[in-house]
Amino acid sequence: MSLEKLIQRCAKNDQKAQEEIYRLYAGKLFALCLKYSRNKAEAEDNLQDGFIQIFKKVNQFKYKGSFEGWMKRVVINTALQKYREKNVLNLVSSDVVEEITVVEVEEEEISLDYLLNLIQELPNQYRLVFNLYVLDGYSHKEVAQALQISEGTSKSNLSRARGILKNKIEWNQQEPNQYKAF
Amino acid sequence: MKEYKDIDRLFQEKFRDFEKNPSGKVWKNIENTLVVKPKRERKAVWLWLSGVAASLVILFFMNESVFNTTTTPTNTLDTEQEFSNKDNTTTSEVASTQTKEGSSQSTENHQTKNTIITKPIHLQKLENTIAEKYTTKQTSDQKIKQLSTLTNSTNSTKKENIQTPKTNLSNTTYPQKSNKTILQMLSETKHKIAQTDSETLNKLTAQTNSPSVTKEHTLTTSENLAESTVEVEKTTSNKKWAVSTVVAPVYLSAFDKKASSIDDQFDENVKQGRFSAAYGVQVAYQLNTRFSLQSGLHIVNYGYKTYGVYVSPSGAVSRYANINYDLDANLVDVRAAPSMAPLNVLNETKIKESKGDLTQVFGYIEIPIEAKYRLNKGSLGINLVGGFSTLLLNKNEIFIEMTDFSNKLGEASNLNSLNFSGNLGLELEYKLYKNVNFNLMPMFKAQTNTFEKNTAGFSPYAIGVYSGLNLRF
């Protein structure tokens, strides 16, 4: 069955179509949730709420752009909304921070799970800004809008996030086993 | 080998194709949240056809209530515009004899007719409809006045343009049409209106500097239709049916425990209901996430016992008006107490009285119509159920029962063949499998009109615990 047909059936609350959509995209969207969450449990919560929102709002999908992209935005918004509701996005600072762009690594030794763990350990706002800007291609203007912060704060948070990541990666180089620990 | 790497790039490359499957519980939770379960009912194979009939009744009811509700804006709109056309045509047709119409309407009628000439088939339809619905003319006149006011605010050139879209509209909108075609009609109408609006607005813009009223009218038309379309589709998408079998132990009792439906002579006797069974099939229709309607067909037999009556195998009978005796029932004499049997005194030789119980059995074919309200979410659903049942008497017997003797006396003469009950219950619904649920529903049913004269204040109620499996589709 074509994706368009599946979407149309989802819009009619067809349970089988919903399950099929879930089966097709759960892997990618769960990966997305893992990046935006602090741990697996929180990621599963976000995935669950994200899919519920997707199925509720699927009528609003206008076939402009990919369905996957639209779903990702819904899931991200759902995750961000939780942080907004909990009022935890208060790590606000627009201090000018030294721009860090490179890190010395032995890339082959670094596992994805290790990097994921580093992201999850970041303070909430740093993690969200880093994800939105670096991994999901949002501009600082869009990040600022999504997190209800200023663009300067977004840039500052991104630099701090990079700094933390760089330090951890470089520090762990002294103990290479850390790379494979996850 | 160590190298300097851009941090962003390091992460981007690693996470580019990152996928990970969540645990199975995530989908289960999502499913439980999204799926709202309709249903519940009972069993009996030969009742299947009756169940289908009941479901058709519900379907009819659905069409009348649900779809009418959601399409009201569209119908109103269509009707208004249809009326304007019909009425215009009417006035044109009877212009020679009916002179009530104002001059401005006459002008409009003329213009409308000119437009309709290009659509002779449609004109015929309208004329036929008018002949049948001439009684709606008064209402139509009011509509025409409103439209006249509207159109008078623009100049006469604009009027001609305004009539065009209305006529086109009526080509595709018939208020009396079956609801089944509403979606299709809306779709076509919306499309046509969009075209017509565009043309009309272009003309108006070219011909006048103040077409705002007309624009507003036509734009509102298409907007309303768009909203209606969305609403109708939304409602349709929520449609869920469930069919189920149910069985229940039921217990009949009475609000006034003293009252006897047979004779007030037995008021002092201990009386008690008897456990019996009810079974049947039900169909349910889910209106939305919270509400469902259900109906079905049940067979139920109630039993009610009067204990400690005195029975003598005498031919000297004291008859009770509320019993139609069988032919062989004259062999026993039933009394509430020996002291109340003066005939025995005259007939001392056969005062062999035994104590026994008087059992009344009455069975019904029950057709419940109930609304169900979902109180919670999750796999164990709790529903509040309320409604009423129509009860058709199909079994009516009165027995006398003793330890070694049982005989049917006859049947109650005061039972109504048709009565009703008010139903209230709480349903627990547990999902066993994808579309299969187990239901458990304690229910209270208060009967009314059970007996012809509400015999001696005997007013029964029934308590049952209905359980069964339902299948959603």
Side-chain angles (χ1 to χ4, degrees), chain A residues 12-13 15 22 27-28 30-31 44 48 55 101-103 105-107 110 112 134 162 173, chain B residues 1-3 5-8 12 14 18-20 22-23 25 29 31 34-35 237-238:
Chain A
K12 293 177 181 173
N13 285 338
Q15 197 181 337
Y22 176 84
K28 286 181 181 174
F30 185 50
E44 288 189 335
Q48 179 181 321
F55 294 139
T101 56
V102 293
V103 62
V105 292
E106 282 189 67
E107 193 178 348
I110 296 182
L112 187 146
V134 176
R162 283 175 178 148
Q173 281 180 46
Chain B
M1 188 181 75
K2 288 187 180 179
E3 60 176 331
K5 181 107 183 171
D6 184 275
I7 291 181
D8 292 2
Q12 284 164 353
K14 284 283 182 187
F18 178 36
E19 281 189 37
K20 193 156 192 173
S23 65
K25 70 176 182 183
N29 291 340
E31 197 177 27
L34 291 173
V35 174
S237 68
N238 286 333

mmCIF file of all heavy atoms in Angstrom, chain A residues 12-13 15 22 27-28 30-31 44 48 55 101-103 105-107 110 112 134 162 173, chain B residues 1-3 5-8 12 14 18-20 22-23 25 29 31 34-35 237-238:
data_model
loop_
_atom_site.group_PDB
_atom_site.id
_atom_site.type_symbol
_atom_site.label_atom_id
_atom_site.label_comp_id
_atom_site.label_asym_id
_atom_site.label_seq_id
_atom_site.Cartn_x
_atom_site.Cartn_y
_atom_site.Cartn_z
ATOM 1 N N LYS A 12 -8.457 8.482 9.002
ATOM 2 C CA LYS A 12 -9.779 7.953 9.337
ATOM 3 C C LYS A 12 -9.715 7.030 10.550
ATOM 4 O O LYS A 12 -10.604 6.216 10.777
ATOM 5 C CB LYS A 12 -10.344 7.185 8.139
ATOM 6 C CG LYS A 12 -10.648 8.087 6.965
ATOM 7 C CD LYS A 12 -11.143 7.264 5.788
ATOM 8 C CE LYS A 12 -11.422 8.195 4.614
ATOM 9 N NZ LYS A 12 -11.755 7.442 3.395
ATOM 10 N N ASN A 13 -8.649 7.181 11.303
ATOM 11 C CA ASN A 13 -8.458 6.396 12.532
ATOM 12 C C ASN A 13 -8.416 4.901 12.279
ATOM 13 O O ASN A 13 -8.849 4.113 13.117
ATOM 14 C CB ASN A 13 -9.556 6.698 13.556
ATOM 15 C CG ASN A 13 -9.337 8.030 14.202
ATOM 16 O OD1 ASN A 13 -8.225 8.544 14.211
ATOM 17 N ND2 ASN A 13 -10.396 8.620 14.724
ATOM 18 N N GLN A 15 -6.964 1.644 12.517
ATOM 19 C CA GLN A 15 -5.962 1.167 13.471
ATOM 20 C C GLN A 15 -4.818 0.420 12.788
ATOM 21 O O GLN A 15 -3.660 0.538 13.186
ATOM 22 C CB GLN A 15 -6.644 0.251 14.482
ATOM 23 C CG GLN A 15 -5.809 0.046 15.723
ATOM 24 C CD GLN A 15 -6.494 -0.872 16.694
ATOM 25 O OE1 GLN A 15 -7.702 -1.023 16.661
ATOM 26 N NE2 GLN A 15 -5.719 -1.492 17.559
ATOM 27 N N TYR A 22 3.439 3.215 12.385
ATOM 28 C CA TYR A 22 4.313 3.074 13.549
ATOM 29 C C TYR A 22 5.459 2.112 13.238
ATOM 30 O O TYR A 22 6.625 2.390 13.521
ATOM 31 C CB TYR A 22 3.512 2.563 14.747
ATOM 32 C CG TYR A 22 4.362 2.306 15.972
ATOM 33 C CD1 TYR A 22 4.678 3.347 16.841
ATOM 34 C CD2 TYR A 22 4.866 1.037 16.254
ATOM 35 C CE1 TYR A 22 5.473 3.121 17.956
ATOM 36 C CE2 TYR A 22 5.657 0.806 17.353
ATOM 37 C CZ TYR A 22 5.961 1.855 18.208
ATOM 38 O OH TYR A 22 6.747 1.627 19.302
ATOM 39 N N GLY A 27 11.490 3.181 14.423
ATOM 40 C CA GLY A 27 12.943 3.131 14.596
ATOM 41 C C GLY A 27 13.585 4.500 14.457
ATOM 42 O O GLY A 27 14.365 4.929 15.315
ATOM 43 N N LYS A 28 13.236 5.197 13.380
ATOM 44 C CA LYS A 28 13.827 6.514 13.155
ATOM 45 C C LYS A 28 13.386 7.520 14.205
ATOM 46 O O LYS A 28 14.179 8.328 14.695
ATOM 47 C CB LYS A 28 13.433 7.018 11.769
ATOM 48 C CG LYS A 28 14.179 6.309 10.655
ATOM 49 C CD LYS A 28 13.783 6.832 9.304
ATOM 50 C CE LYS A 28 14.561 6.064 8.234
ATOM 51 N NZ LYS A 28 14.152 6.380 6.882
ATOM 52 N N PHE A 30 12.278 6.901 17.201
ATOM 53 C CA PHE A 30 12.796 6.584 18.530
ATOM 54 C C PHE A 30 14.245 7.067 18.646
ATOM 55 O O PHE A 30 14.655 7.591 19.696
ATOM 56 C CB PHE A 30 12.713 5.083 18.788
ATOM 57 C CG PHE A 30 13.120 4.691 20.183
ATOM 58 C CD1 PHE A 30 12.572 5.349 21.289
ATOM 59 C CD2 PHE A 30 14.039 3.684 20.418
ATOM 60 C CE1 PHE A 30 12.935 5.002 22.584
ATOM 61 C CE2 PHE A 30 14.416 3.337 21.705
ATOM 62 C CZ PHE A 30 13.859 4.000 22.791
ATOM 63 N N ALA A 31 14.988 6.919 17.556
ATOM 64 C CA ALA A 31 16.359 7.445 17.549
ATOM 65 C C ALA A 31 16.330 8.961 17.799
ATOM 66 O O ALA A 31 17.147 9.502 18.561
ATOM 67 C CB ALA A 31 17.018 7.143 16.209
ATOM 68 N N GLU A 44 11.143 6.859 25.339
ATOM 69 C CA GLU A 44 9.946 6.077 25.006
ATOM 70 C C GLU A 44 8.681 6.857 25.309
ATOM 71 O O GLU A 44 7.699 6.790 24.567
ATOM 72 C CB GLU A 44 9.970 4.743 25.762
ATOM 73 C CG GLU A 44 11.021 3.790 25.189
ATOM 74 C CD GLU A 44 10.949 2.381 25.760
ATOM 75 O OE1 GLU A 44 10.439 2.221 26.891
ATOM 76 O OE2 GLU A 44 11.430 1.457 25.091
ATOM 77 N N GLN A 48 6.020 7.822 22.465
ATOM 78 C CA GLN A 48 4.598 7.503 22.631
ATOM 79 C C GLN A 48 3.734 8.752 22.436
ATOM 80 O O GLN A 48 2.791 8.753 21.656
ATOM 81 C CB GLN A 48 4.387 6.924 24.033
ATOM 82 C CG GLN A 48 2.955 6.578 24.351
ATOM 83 C CD GLN A 48 2.824 6.041 25.771
ATOM 84 O OE1 GLN A 48 3.685 5.288 26.236
ATOM 85 N NE2 GLN A 48 1.787 6.432 26.457
ATOM 86 N N PHE A 55 -0.934 10.911 15.075
ATOM 87 C CA PHE A 55 -2.204 10.338 14.630
ATOM 88 C C PHE A 55 -3.361 11.313 14.843
ATOM 89 O O PHE A 55 -4.336 11.288 14.111
ATOM 90 C CB PHE A 55 -2.472 9.018 15.361
ATOM 91 C CG PHE A 55 -1.477 7.943 15.002
ATOM 92 C CD1 PHE A 55 -0.954 7.087 15.958
ATOM 93 C CD2 PHE A 55 -1.049 7.794 13.686
ATOM 94 C CE1 PHE A 55 -0.037 6.106 15.617
ATOM 95 C CE2 PHE A 55 -0.125 6.815 13.333
ATOM 96 C CZ PHE A 55 0.379 5.970 14.298
ATOM 97 N N THR A 101 35.108 24.463 17.433
ATOM 98 C CA THR A 101 34.612 23.769 16.245
ATOM 99 C C THR A 101 35.268 22.423 16.007
ATOM 100 O O THR A 101 34.730 21.593 15.315
ATOM 101 C CB THR A 101 34.830 24.616 14.978
ATOM 102 O OG1 THR A 101 36.219 24.935 14.893
ATOM 103 C CG2 THR A 101 34.029 25.895 15.014
ATOM 104 N N VAL A 102 36.464 22.227 16.552
ATOM 105 C CA VAL A 102 37.136 20.957 16.258
ATOM 106 C C VAL A 102 37.515 20.229 17.531
ATOM 107 O O VAL A 102 37.640 20.819 18.604
ATOM 108 C CB VAL A 102 38.415 21.163 15.413
ATOM 109 C CG1 VAL A 102 38.058 21.660 14.021
ATOM 110 C CG2 VAL A 102 39.358 22.112 16.130
ATOM 111 N N VAL A 103 37.647 18.935 17.376
ATOM 112 C CA VAL A 103 38.051 18.106 18.489
ATOM 113 C C VAL A 103 39.005 17.047 17.959
ATOM 114 O O VAL A 103 38.866 16.578 16.821
ATOM 115 C CB VAL A 103 36.817 17.460 19.177
ATOM 116 C CG1 VAL A 103 36.073 16.557 18.198
ATOM 117 C CG2 VAL A 103 37.225 16.681 20.411
ATOM 118 N N VAL A 105 40.199 13.498 17.734
ATOM 119 C CA VAL A 105 39.626 12.179 18.024
ATOM 120 C C VAL A 105 40.236 11.098 17.156
ATOM 121 O O VAL A 105 40.799 11.365 16.104
ATOM 122 C CB VAL A 105 38.102 12.156 17.766
ATOM 123 C CG1 VAL A 105 37.375 13.016 18.746
ATOM 124 C CG2 VAL A 105 37.807 12.560 16.323
ATOM 125 N N GLU A 106 40.077 9.904 17.635
ATOM 126 C CA GLU A 106 40.312 8.743 16.784
ATOM 127 C C GLU A 106 38.933 8.200 16.467
ATOM 128 O O GLU A 106 38.339 7.446 17.235
ATOM 129 C CB GLU A 106 41.150 7.697 17.526
ATOM 130 C CG GLU A 106 42.614 8.035 17.583
ATOM 131 C CD GLU A 106 43.432 6.875 18.124
ATOM 132 O OE1 GLU A 106 43.504 5.838 17.436
ATOM 133 O OE2 GLU A 106 43.955 7.012 19.241
ATOM 134 N N GLU A 107 38.413 8.608 15.339
ATOM 135 C CA GLU A 107 37.003 8.414 15.053
ATOM 136 C C GLU A 107 36.563 6.956 15.053
ATOM 137 O O GLU A 107 35.473 6.603 15.485
ATOM 138 C CB GLU A 107 36.672 9.048 13.704
ATOM 139 C CG GLU A 107 35.174 9.155 13.492
ATOM 140 C CD GLU A 107 34.839 9.831 12.192
ATOM 141 O OE1 GLU A 107 35.745 10.399 11.577
ATOM 142 O OE2 GLU A 107 33.677 9.775 11.803
ATOM 143 N N ILE A 110 35.202 5.558 18.221
ATOM 144 C CA ILE A 110 34.040 6.158 18.884
ATOM 145 C C ILE A 110 32.756 5.496 18.405
ATOM 146 O O ILE A 110 32.472 5.467 17.213
ATOM 147 C CB ILE A 110 33.977 7.670 18.608
ATOM 148 C CG1 ILE A 110 35.200 8.333 19.226
ATOM 149 C CG2 ILE A 110 32.704 8.260 19.175
ATOM 150 C CD1 ILE A 110 35.224 9.814 19.066
ATOM 151 N N LEU A 112 28.575 5.026 18.303
ATOM 152 C CA LEU A 112 27.400 5.893 18.275
ATOM 153 C C LEU A 112 26.753 5.959 19.658
ATOM 154 O O LEU A 112 26.320 7.015 20.118
ATOM 155 C CB LEU A 112 26.408 5.340 17.251
ATOM 156 C CG LEU A 112 25.193 6.193 16.950
ATOM 157 C CD1 LEU A 112 24.790 6.036 15.504
ATOM 158 C CD2 LEU A 112 24.017 5.820 17.838
ATOM 159 N N VAL A 134 22.548 21.285 15.233
ATOM 160 C CA VAL A 134 23.569 20.458 14.583
ATOM 161 C C VAL A 134 22.972 19.232 13.891
ATOM 162 O O VAL A 134 23.293 18.931 12.750
ATOM 163 C CB VAL A 134 24.634 20.010 15.608
ATOM 164 C CG1 VAL A 134 25.644 19.062 14.971
ATOM 165 C CG2 VAL A 134 25.324 21.219 16.207
ATOM 166 N N ARG A 162 29.095 22.326 22.668
ATOM 167 C CA ARG A 162 30.268 21.823 21.938
ATOM 168 C C ARG A 162 31.458 21.688 22.884
ATOM 169 O O ARG A 162 32.223 20.715 22.822
ATOM 170 C CB ARG A 162 30.633 22.774 20.804
ATOM 171 C CG ARG A 162 29.708 22.653 19.588
ATOM 172 C CD ARG A 162 30.084 23.709 18.582
ATOM 173 N NE ARG A 162 29.293 23.664 17.373
ATOM 174 C CZ ARG A 162 28.983 24.741 16.662
ATOM 175 N NH1 ARG A 162 29.373 25.951 17.053
ATOM 176 N NH2 ARG A 162 28.281 24.629 15.570
ATOM 177 N N GLN A 173 39.814 10.105 25.614
ATOM 178 C CA GLN A 173 40.827 9.519 24.744
ATOM 179 C C GLN A 173 41.957 8.900 25.553
ATOM 180 O O GLN A 173 42.619 7.956 25.117
ATOM 181 C CB GLN A 173 41.427 10.582 23.830
ATOM 182 C CG GLN A 173 40.535 10.909 22.654
ATOM 183 C CD GLN A 173 41.167 11.961 21.802
ATOM 184 O OE1 GLN A 173 42.343 11.865 21.496
ATOM 185 N NE2 GLN A 173 40.410 12.972 21.446
ATOM 186 N N MET B 1 44.612 6.380 14.371
ATOM 187 C CA MET B 1 45.378 7.612 14.246
ATOM 188 C C MET B 1 44.492 8.807 14.587
ATOM 189 O O MET B 1 43.380 8.909 14.086
ATOM 190 C CB MET B 1 45.881 7.752 12.809
ATOM 191 C CG MET B 1 46.833 8.896 12.656
ATOM 192 S SD MET B 1 47.389 9.050 10.953
ATOM 193 C CE MET B 1 45.973 9.738 10.186
ATOM 194 N N LYS B 2 45.009 9.656 15.422
ATOM 195 C CA LYS B 2 44.220 10.801 15.841
ATOM 196 C C LYS B 2 44.186 11.867 14.751
ATOM 197 O O LYS B 2 45.156 12.054 14.026
ATOM 198 C CB LYS B 2 44.798 11.390 17.123
ATOM 199 C CG LYS B 2 44.544 10.511 18.328
ATOM 200 C CD LYS B 2 44.971 11.203 19.582
ATOM 201 C CE LYS B 2 44.721 10.320 20.793
ATOM 202 N NZ LYS B 2 45.151 10.952 22.030
ATOM 203 N N GLU B 3 43.037 12.515 14.694
ATOM 204 C CA GLU B 3 42.920 13.624 13.738
ATOM 205 C C GLU B 3 41.970 14.654 14.324
ATOM 206 O O GLU B 3 41.182 14.366 15.223
ATOM 207 C CB GLU B 3 42.389 13.118 12.401
ATOM 208 C CG GLU B 3 41.017 12.478 12.499
ATOM 209 C CD GLU B 3 40.476 12.080 11.147
ATOM 210 O OE1 GLU B 3 40.823 12.733 10.157
ATOM 211 O OE2 GLU B 3 39.695 11.119 11.095
ATOM 212 N N LYS B 5 38.846 16.799 14.111
ATOM 213 C CA LYS B 5 37.573 16.609 13.411
ATOM 214 C C LYS B 5 36.595 17.667 13.901
ATOM 215 O O LYS B 5 36.530 17.969 15.091
ATOM 216 C CB LYS B 5 37.041 15.206 13.743
ATOM 217 C CG LYS B 5 35.753 14.874 13.085
ATOM 218 C CD LYS B 5 35.965 13.869 11.966
ATOM 219 C CE LYS B 5 34.680 13.582 11.252
ATOM 220 N NZ LYS B 5 34.914 12.786 10.047
ATOM 221 N N ASP B 6 35.800 18.176 12.985
ATOM 222 C CA ASP B 6 34.754 19.126 13.349
ATOM 223 C C ASP B 6 33.724 18.404 14.219
ATOM 224 O O ASP B 6 33.233 17.324 13.856
ATOM 225 C CB ASP B 6 34.089 19.648 12.066
ATOM 226 C CG ASP B 6 33.058 20.710 12.383
ATOM 227 O OD1 ASP B 6 31.902 20.335 12.686
ATOM 228 O OD2 ASP B 6 33.408 21.893 12.338
ATOM 229 N N ILE B 7 33.453 18.971 15.362
ATOM 230 C CA ILE B 7 32.539 18.299 16.300
ATOM 231 C C ILE B 7 31.180 18.045 15.668
ATOM 232 O O ILE B 7 30.625 16.947 15.754
ATOM 233 C CB ILE B 7 32.356 19.151 17.573
ATOM 234 C CG1 ILE B 7 33.652 19.167 18.358
ATOM 235 C CG2 ILE B 7 31.229 18.608 18.426
ATOM 236 C CD1 ILE B 7 33.565 19.972 19.637
ATOM 237 N N ASP B 8 30.662 19.108 15.035
ATOM 238 C CA ASP B 8 29.332 18.972 14.428
ATOM 239 C C ASP B 8 29.322 17.819 13.435
ATOM 240 O O ASP B 8 28.405 17.008 13.401
ATOM 241 C CB ASP B 8 28.932 20.265 13.710
ATOM 242 C CG ASP B 8 28.689 21.396 14.712
ATOM 243 O OD1 ASP B 8 28.868 21.142 15.917
ATOM 244 O OD2 ASP B 8 28.335 22.501 14.278
ATOM 245 N N GLN B 12 27.100 14.506 13.242
ATOM 246 C CA GLN B 12 26.196 14.377 12.095
ATOM 247 C C GLN B 12 26.423 13.067 11.353
ATOM 248 O O GLN B 12 25.489 12.370 10.975
ATOM 249 C CB GLN B 12 26.399 15.562 11.141
ATOM 250 C CG GLN B 12 25.761 16.847 11.646
ATOM 251 C CD GLN B 12 26.277 18.077 10.928
ATOM 252 O OE1 GLN B 12 27.214 18.003 10.134
ATOM 253 N NE2 GLN B 12 25.677 19.231 11.220
ATOM 254 N N LYS B 14 27.804 10.309 12.503
ATOM 255 C CA LYS B 14 27.454 9.140 13.305
ATOM 256 C C LYS B 14 25.941 8.943 13.383
ATOM 257 O O LYS B 14 25.437 7.824 13.423
ATOM 258 C CB LYS B 14 28.015 9.296 14.729
ATOM 259 C CG LYS B 14 29.497 9.040 14.806
ATOM 260 C CD LYS B 14 29.795 7.545 14.771
ATOM 261 C CE LYS B 14 31.303 7.309 14.897
ATOM 262 N NZ LYS B 14 31.641 5.889 14.706
ATOM 263 N N PHE B 18 20.955 6.815 12.088
ATOM 264 C CA PHE B 18 20.682 6.237 13.409
ATOM 265 C C PHE B 18 19.216 5.808 13.528
ATOM 266 O O PHE B 18 18.307 6.591 13.310
ATOM 267 C CB PHE B 18 21.019 7.273 14.479
ATOM 268 C CG PHE B 18 20.740 6.827 15.881
ATOM 269 C CD1 PHE B 18 20.932 5.506 16.279
ATOM 270 C CD2 PHE B 18 20.299 7.747 16.829
ATOM 271 C CE1 PHE B 18 20.681 5.110 17.583
ATOM 272 C CE2 PHE B 18 20.053 7.360 18.143
ATOM 273 C CZ PHE B 18 20.250 6.044 18.505
ATOM 274 N N GLU B 19 19.034 4.549 13.834
ATOM 275 C CA GLU B 19 17.692 4.015 14.081
ATOM 276 C C GLU B 19 17.766 3.057 15.247
ATOM 277 O O GLU B 19 18.759 2.358 15.424
ATOM 278 C CB GLU B 19 17.160 3.247 12.867
ATOM 279 C CG GLU B 19 16.615 4.125 11.767
ATOM 280 C CD GLU B 19 15.905 3.317 10.693
ATOM 281 O OE1 GLU B 19 15.241 2.329 11.048
ATOM 282 O OE2 GLU B 19 16.028 3.681 9.515
ATOM 283 N N LYS B 20 16.734 3.029 16.020
ATOM 284 C CA LYS B 20 16.705 2.070 17.123
ATOM 285 C C LYS B 20 15.249 1.747 17.432
ATOM 286 O O LYS B 20 14.415 2.647 17.509
ATOM 287 C CB LYS B 20 17.376 2.672 18.359
ATOM 288 C CG LYS B 20 17.661 1.646 19.421
ATOM 289 C CD LYS B 20 18.798 2.104 20.332
ATOM 290 C CE LYS B 20 19.277 0.979 21.208
ATOM 291 N NZ LYS B 20 20.469 1.343 21.968
ATOM 292 N N PRO B 22 12.110 0.821 19.583
ATOM 293 C CA PRO B 22 11.665 0.946 20.981
ATOM 294 C C PRO B 22 11.093 -0.383 21.465
ATOM 295 O O PRO B 22 10.875 -1.297 20.667
ATOM 296 C CB PRO B 22 10.564 2.003 20.893
ATOM 297 C CG PRO B 22 10.027 1.864 19.504
ATOM 298 C CD PRO B 22 11.166 1.415 18.644
ATOM 299 N N SER B 23 10.832 -0.471 22.743
ATOM 300 C CA SER B 23 10.264 -1.708 23.275
ATOM 301 C C SER B 23 8.795 -1.819 22.853
ATOM 302 O O SER B 23 8.145 -0.833 22.491
ATOM 303 C CB SER B 23 10.379 -1.724 24.795
ATOM 304 O OG SER B 23 9.600 -0.700 25.342
ATOM 305 N N LYS B 25 6.156 -2.219 24.450
ATOM 306 C CA LYS B 25 5.110 -1.598 25.269
ATOM 307 C C LYS B 25 4.703 -0.229 24.730
ATOM 308 O O LYS B 25 3.613 0.252 25.011
ATOM 309 C CB LYS B 25 5.584 -1.479 26.724
ATOM 310 C CG LYS B 25 6.677 -0.458 26.919
ATOM 311 C CD LYS B 25 7.051 -0.298 28.382
ATOM 312 C CE LYS B 25 8.124 0.773 28.520
ATOM 313 N NZ LYS B 25 8.591 0.943 29.877
ATOM 314 N N ASN B 29 0.879 1.045 24.488
ATOM 315 C CA ASN B 29 0.367 2.253 25.146
ATOM 316 C C ASN B 29 -0.297 3.188 24.149
ATOM 317 O O ASN B 29 -1.344 3.775 24.434
ATOM 318 C CB ASN B 29 1.517 2.987 25.857
ATOM 319 C CG ASN B 29 2.013 2.209 27.051
ATOM 320 O OD1 ASN B 29 1.313 1.348 27.573
ATOM 321 N ND2 ASN B 29 3.237 2.495 27.480
ATOM 322 N N GLU B 31 -1.635 2.374 21.327
ATOM 323 C CA GLU B 31 -2.872 1.739 20.872
ATOM 324 C C GLU B 31 -3.982 1.936 21.893
ATOM 325 O O GLU B 31 -5.108 2.277 21.555
ATOM 326 C CB GLU B 31 -2.592 0.244 20.685
ATOM 327 C CG GLU B 31 -3.618 -0.474 19.851
ATOM 328 C CD GLU B 31 -3.239 -1.932 19.650
ATOM 329 O OE1 GLU B 31 -2.528 -2.486 20.515
ATOM 330 O OE2 GLU B 31 -3.635 -2.497 18.636
ATOM 331 N N LEU B 34 -5.220 5.486 21.707
ATOM 332 C CA LEU B 34 -5.937 5.868 20.485
ATOM 333 C C LEU B 34 -7.253 5.137 20.327
ATOM 334 O O LEU B 34 -8.243 5.703 19.900
ATOM 335 C CB LEU B 34 -5.069 5.580 19.259
ATOM 336 C CG LEU B 34 -3.833 6.447 19.091
ATOM 337 C CD1 LEU B 34 -2.997 5.929 17.946
ATOM 338 C CD2 LEU B 34 -4.221 7.896 18.851
ATOM 339 N N VAL B 35 -7.234 3.854 20.683
ATOM 340 C CA VAL B 35 -8.417 3.054 20.406
ATOM 341 C C VAL B 35 -9.456 3.271 21.479
ATOM 342 O O VAL B 35 -9.190 3.121 22.654
ATOM 343 C CB VAL B 35 -8.046 1.556 20.362
ATOM 344 C CG1 VAL B 35 -9.301 0.718 20.210
ATOM 345 C CG2 VAL B 35 -7.093 1.319 19.220
ATOM 346 N N SER B 237 -15.139 9.103 10.006
ATOM 347 C CA SER B 237 -13.952 8.323 10.316
ATOM 348 C C SER B 237 -14.020 7.690 11.692
ATOM 349 O O SER B 237 -13.290 6.774 11.983
ATOM 350 C CB SER B 237 -12.713 9.210 10.226
ATOM 351 O OG SER B 237 -12.750 10.149 11.256
ATOM 352 N N ASN B 238 -14.903 8.169 12.555
ATOM 353 C CA ASN B 238 -14.995 7.618 13.904
ATOM 354 C C ASN B 238 -15.926 6.422 13.990
ATOM 355 O O ASN B 238 -16.154 5.902 15.059
ATOM 356 C CB ASN B 238 -15.487 8.688 14.882
ATOM 357 C CG ASN B 238 -14.405 9.676 15.167
ATOM 358 O OD1 ASN B 238 -13.239 9.347 15.083
ATOM 359 N ND2 ASN B 238 -14.778 10.897 15.503
#
